[in-house]
Amino acid sequence: MNIAFFGSSLVSAYWNGAATYYRGIIRALHRLGHRVTFYEPDAYDRQKHRDIPDPDWASVVVYPVDNHQHGVLRALEHAHGVDLLIKTSGVGVYDRFLESAVLEIKATHTLSLYWDVDAPATLDRVKANAADPFADQIPQYDLILTYGGGDPVVRAYSEFGAACCVPIYNALDPTTHHPVEPCDAFAVDLAFLGNRLPDREARVHE
């Protein structure tokens, strides 16, 4: 399949805890023969803090962020006609716009998928606001995937009319995350493993 993936970032984990999750899943899709184009905004200085170059297992399209949405509109135009359109939560910019735009640009053969990487926050948002347009958009997606959550999240999405909701739990790329022999370079008194957020890193340094 030809897949268009609108998410926060594939190449940078900066302000983007879902990066390794996306990498594991998308690299696995590539191994299965699917073609993925990942569309990400040039936002939050992520491009200045890349931790990987553009991979050979996905195409990365970085679009500019501007007040007139020219960049994201060009990205949507580029994605028109694919077999599967994916919109994730937590892109960071244009989220509400993309939730509806992905549905509007669907070709007749295209499937649409909403991938929720923070389902509790999304569901709380919709429950708190009866006028939230996403409540009516949920049934229009062919599939809802969530970053974990289990039965409570599945039930909640079903109550909003989701055609199908499936939790996909943590994903890492086994070619980069695997057991190795101990390395003296990492022999430390204190180690911190977490998402790269400036405020969090400042606290670690302090």
Side-chain angles (χ1 to χ4, degrees):
M1 287 196 303
N2 187 8
I3 302 171
F5 205 115
F6 285 84
S8 50
S9 180
L10 186 65
V11 298
S12 176
Y14 195 71
W15 286 101
N16 181 33
T20 52
Y21 179 71
Y22 295 149
R23 292 170 192 170
I25 288 165
I26 292 173
R27 192 161 188 165
L29 288 169
H30 173 75
R31 284 196 296 267
L32 292 170
H34 304 296
R35 290 178 293 131
V36 177
T37 302
F38 195 101
Y39 297 89
E40 59 181 80
D42 187 0
Y44 300 103
D45 283 335
R46 289 174 183 145
Q47 299 306 312
K48 296 177 182 176
H49 295 85
R50 283 177 166 234
D51 27 310
I52 63 169
D54 284 5
D56 58 8
W57 35 267
S59 297
V60 176
V61 175
V62 180
Y63 56 88
V65 174
D66 58 81
N67 292 333
H68 300 288
Q69 301 180 332
H70 294 314
V72 69
L73 288 170
R74 284 195 298 271
L76 287 162
E77 182 179 355
H78 187 266
H80 181 72
V82 298
D83 302 308
L84 175 62
L85 274 166
I86 299 174
K87 158 68 175 85
T88 73
S89 66
V91 173
V93 290
Y94 306 135
D95 273 295
R96 305 292 179 96
F97 171 72
L98 282 168
E99 285 167 1
S100 60
V102 161
L103 295 170
E104 292 167 4
I105 69 164
K106 281 181 60 175
T108 53
H109 69 282
T110 301
L111 294 174
S112 59
L113 189 159
Y114 185 80
W115 205 316
D116 198 343
V117 296
D118 192 355
T122 304
L123 292 166
D124 285 347
R125 171 194 128 193
V126 179
K127 290 175 182 176
N129 180 10
D132 192 318
F134 188 57
D136 292 329
Q137 292 160 1
I138 290 172
Q140 299 178 50
Y141 281 92
D142 297 294
L143 178 63
I144 304 288
L145 298 182
T146 66
Y147 184 111
D151 290 340
V153 165
V154 173
R155 284 196 300 271
Y157 262 112
S158 298
E159 289 170 3
F160 279 110
C164 182
C165 178
V166 180
I168 306 292
Y169 289 86
N170 287 343
L172 289 173
D173 182 355
T175 64
T176 58
H177 292 74
H178 52 81
V180 297
E181 292 299 316
C183 175
D184 289 341
F186 297 108
V188 296
D189 297 314
L190 173 66
F192 174 79
L193 178 65
N195 302 339
R196 291 200 62 195
L197 300 173
D199 60 331
R200 184 175 294 168
E201 291 184 6
R203 292 199 299 274
V204 172
H205 286 297
E206 182 182 355

